[in-house]
Amino acid sequence: MAVTAEKAIQTPVKKVSQKTLRRSFLEWFYGNLTCFSQEHMQTFGYMCAMLPVIEELYDSKEEQKEAMQTYRAFFNTEPQIGTVVVGMTVGMEEAKANGEPLDGEAVNAIRAGLMGPLAGIGDSLIVGTLIPILLGVSLGMSTGGSPLGAIFYIVVWNLIAIFGMRFLFSLGYKLGGRAVEILVGEKANAVREAVTMIGTIVIGGVSASWIHVKTALTIVNGKVTILDLQKTLDNIYPGLLTAGFVILCWWLMTKKNLSPVIVMLLLVVVAFLGCLVGFFNPGLKY
């Protein structure tokens, strides 16, 4: 009888509702760059995502303030893949509210330890692979000025982002630390390598289809053309100048850490000087 009475007065288990989980995800999805600055990066966006969870798990304002102190720490990662960290901390905060031996330092240690590796994975998969693939397909659909390419990119990218991020959020919440193994384990590495290879092939195809660098340089002796440089290059390797310029841009951005804007300005200078000396200008001959 005493045991039954003891069970009856036990504190009920606190559980984050589906409504709050949905609100937390949407706060991160739409506001991960809230009040973005070089000092805080995604810190305030993270706090906005955790606020509805904290409000539901803790009753008093003092407890809520104390819990929110955890998320004042600096945070920055790739927003799409990094969604799994937000889901994990929601699960950790739920466990903490139910008396699990977790504190703010433990939560921040996990956040700080994951944001760097997940940022690298996200940048390579999302920014370096998925987006170029979608843009390559969109460019092909935009031939002749068709708006289908732009519509395709907007619709497909947003669908992938919404459902992909929602899946990662739920995965982090349900699996906790095991979600990280799914993202960075051996099988995940094999998938990333395969996707990266596909992205490289697509980028190469886009470069060959949409970038055309040709020279108009010819050497003429009277009425006899001694050298037509473009024809000579085409006999050796068709598209050699195009491949050279693409590799040059890649080298400047990856090896010399130049921004895309600087690289574009350099290309403008090269184009101007090339036309000035007759390398690109068909009106000038030597």
Side-chain angles (χ1 to χ4, degrees):
M1 190 70 179
V3 175
T4 305
E6 182 180 349
K7 288 184 178 180
I9 62 174
Q10 281 183 348
T11 304
V13 176
K14 295 181 178 180
K15 186 76 174 176
V16 181
S17 66
Q18 288 299 316
K19 180 180 178 181
T20 300
L21 287 174
R22 183 165 55 252
R23 182 183 168 192
S24 176
F25 165 71
L26 290 176
E27 291 285 358
W28 173 256
F29 180 80
Y30 289 113
N32 57 75
L33 298 180
T34 298
C35 299
F36 187 89
S37 68
Q38 295 300 317
E39 180 181 1
H40 298 289
M41 296 293 186
Q42 297 169 345
T43 300
F44 296 118
Y46 205 123
M47 293 178 71
C48 288
M50 294 302 299
L51 183 58
V53 176
I54 299 300
E55 289 177 337
E56 184 172 62
L57 290 175
Y58 300 98
D59 298 323
S60 68
K61 292 295 182 182
E62 289 73 19
E63 289 178 317
Q64 293 174 5
K65 289 180 181 179
E66 181 181 353
M68 286 302 293
Q69 294 298 318
T70 301
Y71 304 99
R72 294 178 57 191
F74 176 85
F75 185 78
N76 185 49
T77 190
E78 199 282 321
Q80 281 74 47
I81 300 297
T83 307
V84 71
V85 183
V86 185
M88 287 176 59
T89 50
V90 170
M92 293 177 68
E93 200 64 53
E94 182 182 82
K96 177 184 170 186
N98 283 293
E100 293 290 335
L102 291 170
D103 56 18
E105 291 185 2
V107 175
N108 272 328
I110 290 178
R111 294 200 312 155
L114 291 179
M115 65 181 184
L118 291 180
I121 294 171
D123 288 342
S124 62
L125 281 182
I126 306 299
V127 181
T129 304
L130 177 60
I131 291 178
I133 289 175
L134 293 179
L135 287 175
V137 175
S138 300
L139 287 171
M141 299 174 65
S142 299
T143 305
S146 172
L148 290 178
I151 295 172
F152 169 83
Y153 181 81
I154 293 171
V155 172
V156 173
W157 164 247
N158 279 282
L159 287 176
I160 292 175
I162 292 172
F163 289 104
M165 291 175 70
R166 178 61 181 173
F167 169 76
L168 291 175
F169 182 87
S170 300
L171 185 70
Y173 172 67
K174 294 176 181 178
L175 300 183
R178 287 182 295 165
V180 180
E181 176 62 25
I182 294 175
L183 291 174
V184 301
E186 292 183 2
K187 293 182 179 179
N189 289 333
V191 172
R192 284 199 303 274
E193 290 177 3
V195 173
T196 302
M197 182 62 67
I198 294 174
T200 304
I201 294 172
V202 170
I203 292 172
V206 170
S207 301
S209 301
W210 293 92
I211 302 175
H212 303 284
V213 180
K214 294 184 178 181
T215 177
L217 182 63
T218 57
I219 299 177
V220 179
N221 184 9
K223 294 184 179 181
V224 179
T225 300
I226 299 176
L227 175 66
D228 187 329
L229 183 57
Q230 185 59 52
K231 288 184 178 180
T232 303
L233 293 176
D234 288 342
N235 291 330
I236 299 172
Y237 187 108
L240 181 61
L241 285 178
T242 298
F245 269 85
V246 171
I247 293 173
L248 174 64
C249 293
W250 168 82
W251 180 76
L252 290 173
M253 288 187 288
T254 58
K255 302 301 181 181
K256 296 300 181 181
N257 295 320
L258 295 183
S259 69
V261 175
I262 298 298
V263 173
M264 285 189 287
L265 291 175
L266 289 175
L267 291 179
V268 171
V269 173
V270 171
F272 176 78
L273 294 177
C275 291
L276 191 65
V277 301
F279 190 80
F280 298 121
N281 190 342
L284 296 178
K285 297 182 178 180
Y286 290 94

